[in-house]
Amino acid sequence: MASLAVSLNRLSLANPILVASGTFGYAREMEAFVDFSRLGGIIPKTITPLPRRGNPPPRTVETASGMLNSIGLDNDGIDYFIASHLPYLLSLDTAIIANIAGKDVGEFVSMASRLGQVEGLAGLELNISCPNVSGGVDFGTNPEMAAKVVSAVRSACGLPVIAKLTPNVTSIAAIAQAAAEAGADAVSLVNTFLGMAIDWRKRRPVLGNTLGGLSGPAIKPLALRCVYQVAQNVDVPVIGIGGIASIDDVMEFLVAGASAVQIGTANFYNPGVSETLAGALETCLADIGVESVGAVIGSLS
Amino acid sequence: MVADAGWTTARVVEQRTLAAGTFRLRLHCPEAAARITPGQFFMVRPHGGTDPLLGRPFALYDTIDGQDGSPESIGFVYHVIGKMTSLMSRWTGGEAVEFWGPLGNGFPVPRCRHLMYVGGGIGYTPSLAVAREALGQRAYGSPARSAEQAAERVTLYYGVQSAGQRADLTDLESIDGLTIRIATDDGSEGHPGLVTDLLRESLDGDDPPEAVYCCGPLPMMTAVGRICREADVDCWLSLETPMACGFGACFSCVTRVQTDDPDGWDYRRTCVEGPVFPAAQLVLD
């Protein structure tokens, strides 16, 4: 049997199949559908220092082979997360990577230092790429700001750090490079593409917050391009995200240079898909006769 | 607040037209059929493919027993409004579809003598299972839930735009103890005007309902919630909000619920905390 374990600098995972923040709730919502121990890891929904109500509904709308969302980081804040979600999450037999978002470097640092004291967390993912919250996106579109937040978080805690990047930039490789130089253990990409839906009869945007982030199979070729560009140009492990729903999708991202992947929107319409893909990866690697998943990563010729 | 649901492949058993653009579909899904209760919902999408992508939520109409006498399939009624429902309307039987449920809380077990259901448009459909359960004529859920004492009567007030759009009510008309009154906006059938006129009339009459269940367009539910609050009658509203997953992961389907927060409300997920809420808990405006 092929070895599925992957190491992304200080972050070690039993297999490369993760679930993306914002698509898996706080895991409890998925327990009827998924055997969590089969996953490489879980990234729960983004948390912020204080509770946030989020954006006015409608918050999602389906588009051709995809969906737009503008949830607005609806969450109960880090205190509630630590008290009420983390004990459950850390009881699961898989890596838990907390995803945090702050308005400024100070907020990222204070959350990172608190979570750094929690026994059992596998890592931190920095959401510097949410398109639906003003303030957050600056970190992800400006290389200097991205570097500043990554390096501050690294100093504030001993956990492996992943920077989650937005594709809504001219050069995603430049942002990835800055995050890598600042000490990110890995970069995850892509967050959603900024988009819009209009109800022309009403002359109104469909989403309550006007703009939203596009995800799902529709963005897969775009995401694959981003992963390829970063993997080709930057010396940092990449976690691929964007429309992954089948084992072929997983393999394409690995071949393009991703060391791991996150399953996102597919969780909404096939809640057991992450577990299915972890099993399918094992079978696929056996079928092609490789000894480890590492033999596939970045094997594009 | 956690979905206790399964994801499975269900097979289309049959489809019937109930009105222009309104269809009754039955799916073979014994596990969910055995567990679902009135007012709960489930998600349906075609097998494979990515357009349409997400599941669509549908409320229970009724469960149907198999030859062994236990629930074997789930019926629901839908109106064609978009891409998914157009596609569904062409299903004829035998199709494999993706199904997850039961989801949401559903209506509480009725504890009253006279229960009223106010339904607007396609929102009338949960009333069938509600009435059958309230009147003690069918049990739902596993273990089967039932009222300590069956209701003596259930009234359905059903509001539609015009007679041409109202669904075939044969399934409901056969329920002993259920009284149906129709209101049409254009006066083409039954009471000319709003279904809330009928509700007011009943609340002022000799045999007012002790509880009101309601599902329909938001303005109608808001009005029903207000009227019941003024009359001090218990009222539950079943909300329909756009949702992506149905089991609490996406945080799309939020509605404003009164809380202890500084502003007095917070968004709550309709799929796991609802879809049925006591009207008194909601922020209705």
Side-chain angles (χ1 to χ4, degrees):
Chain A
M1 200 177 73
S3 162
L4 294 180
V6 289
S7 288
L8 297 80
N9 288 316
R10 296 177 297 160
L11 177 67
S12 297
L13 303 170
N15 72 59
I17 308 292
L18 306 169
V19 287
S21 184
T23 68
F24 212 71
Y26 300 96
R28 223 188 287 258
E29 291 87 345
M30 311 302 290
E31 71 182 12
F33 305 104
V34 183
D35 173 358
F36 300 127
S37 72
R38 301 279 295 153
L39 306 181
I42 292 171
I43 308 175
K45 186 164 167 53
T46 298
I47 50 166
T48 54
L50 294 173
R52 284 179 57 94
R53 242 181 216 152
N55 291 331
R59 290 175 168 187
T60 48
V61 60
E62 183 167 315
T63 58
S65 295
M67 65 180 281
L68 287 164
N69 88 79
S70 181
I71 309 295
L73 303 184
D74 177 341
N75 81 103
D76 292 320
I78 191 169
D79 290 343
Y80 187 86
F81 177 78
I82 290 174
S84 303
H85 290 308
L86 258 189
Y88 173 80
L89 285 161
L90 295 175
S91 76
L92 306 176
D93 186 18
T94 189
I96 302 298
I97 300 165
N99 179 298
I100 60 174
K103 281 200 297 286
D104 49 44
V105 173
E107 286 194 353
F108 274 103
V109 164
S110 72
M111 283 194 285
S113 72
R114 284 190 67 187
L115 292 168
Q117 288 156 26
V118 175
E119 193 71 31
L121 262 185
L124 283 184
E125 184 177 59
L126 312 183
N127 182 356
I128 55 172
S129 49
C130 179
N132 300 318
V133 178
S134 57
V137 89
D138 298 332
F139 291 110
T141 55
N142 178 329
E144 283 155 37
M145 290 300 290
K148 203 175 273 186
V149 72
V150 168
S151 116
V153 165
R154 275 224 52 170
S155 313
C157 75
L159 292 169
V161 175
I162 303 163
K164 184 169 180 178
L165 307 186
T166 175
N168 302 306
V169 291
T170 306
S171 169
I172 195 165
I175 311 284
Q177 179 73 46
E181 284 169 7
D185 291 272
V187 289
S188 54
L189 53 134
V190 294
N191 205 323
T192 55
F193 288 81
L194 197 57
M196 186 176 188
I198 288 175
D199 182 339
W200 73 266
R201 286 172 214 282
K202 292 183 185 157
R203 270 48 168 196
R204 289 176 64 87
V206 175
L207 293 172
N209 196 43
T210 307
L211 305 183
L214 182 65
S215 66
I219 71 163
K220 198 192 84 177
L222 301 168
L224 202 52
R225 178 268 296 174
C226 290
V227 166
Y228 169 74
Q229 285 180 325
V230 171
Q232 289 288 312
N233 295 298
V234 188
D235 185 19
V236 66
V238 177
I239 302 174
I241 323 167
I244 299 173
S246 71
I247 185 60
D248 288 330
D249 297 336
V250 171
M251 295 301 287
E252 288 170 30
F253 276 83
L254 296 178
V255 167
S259 300
V261 296
Q262 294 178 15
I263 314 303
T265 299
N267 292 312
F268 294 152
Y269 60 90
N270 183 354
V273 67
S274 53
E275 179 186 339
T276 306
L277 291 178
L281 178 61
E282 215 171 298
T283 310
C284 183
L285 295 180
D287 285 351
I288 61 171
V290 296
E291 284 182 9
S292 77
V293 67
V296 175
I297 294 167
S299 59
L300 190 73
S301 53
Chain B
M1 289 200 304
V2 171
D4 178 19
W7 190 91
T8 186
T9 301
R11 205 159 283 281
V12 176
V13 178
E14 61 158 42
Q15 175 134 254
R16 239 194 80 195
T17 305
L18 293 187
T22 302
F23 299 89
R24 187 190 73 193
L25 194 67
R26 284 183 179 164
L27 297 176
H28 180 87
C29 46
E31 283 177 30
R35 293 170 47 212
I36 196 164
T37 58
Q40 281 196 297
F41 69 100
F42 43 85
M43 302 288 278
V44 175
R45 73 183 292 271
H47 187 61
T50 61
D51 193 16
L53 182 69
L54 303 168
R56 300 293 191 272
F58 297 99
L60 173 70
Y61 184 57
D62 207 1
T63 56
I64 302 95
D65 291 340
Q67 285 180 344
D68 67 354
S70 54
E72 180 183 81
S73 57
I74 283 179
F76 63 101
V77 178
Y78 66 95
H79 193 69
V80 174
I81 55 163
K83 188 159 66 177
M84 178 78 88
T85 45
S86 302
L87 188 152
M88 287 168 57
S89 69
R90 297 192 289 276
W91 291 346
T92 53
E95 292 87 353
V97 306
E98 291 170 13
F99 173 103
W100 55 105
L103 301 165
N105 57 359
F107 286 106
V109 183
R111 286 187 180 80
C112 60
R113 197 186 58 77
H114 179 193
L115 174 70
M116 177 172 293
Y117 188 101
V118 182
I122 200 70
Y124 85 97
T125 67
S127 68
L128 176 67
V130 163
R132 294 184 74 182
E133 181 181 61
L135 293 162
Q137 295 171 10
R138 185 166 177 82
Y140 298 87
S142 179
R145 61 178 215 173
S146 62
E148 285 155 37
Q149 195 162 6
E152 282 174 28
R153 59 183 293 228
V154 177
T155 310
L156 166 63
Y157 287 166
Y158 173 32
V160 278
Q161 286 179 325
S162 72
Q165 284 169 348
R166 84 126 161 111
D168 177 346
L169 299 176
T170 308
D171 294 331
L172 288 144
E173 283 158 357
S174 64
I175 298 173
D176 196 26
L178 174 67
T179 310
I180 303 171
R181 282 189 71 186
I182 292 168
T184 52
D185 296 352
D186 66 358
S188 54
E189 186 176 353
H191 169 75
L194 298 176
V195 75
T196 43
D197 301 338
L198 297 176
L199 172 63
R200 280 204 176 94
E201 191 183 296
S202 173
L203 289 168
D204 292 339
D206 299 335
D207 186 14
E210 287 123 21
V212 174
Y213 291 177
C214 174
C215 182
L218 196 55
M220 188 202 90
M221 287 199 285
T222 303
V224 168
R226 285 226 180 93
I227 292 166
C228 288
R229 194 181 308 170
E230 283 160 24
D232 199 23
V233 169
D234 289 339
C235 175
W236 281 267
L237 305 179
S238 180
L239 303 188
E240 186 185 41
T241 53
M243 57 180 69
C245 69
F247 43 81
C250 73
F251 286 70
S252 306
C253 61
V254 294
T255 193
R256 292 201 289 162
V257 173
Q258 295 180 29
T259 63
D260 298 331
D261 291 62
D263 293 340
W265 65 272
D266 194 9
Y267 286 127
R268 291 292 158 83
R269 290 166 291 176
T270 300
C271 67
V272 284
E273 298 201 34
V276 177
F277 292 90
Q281 270 182 17
L282 296 171
V283 179
L284 300 171
D285 54 23

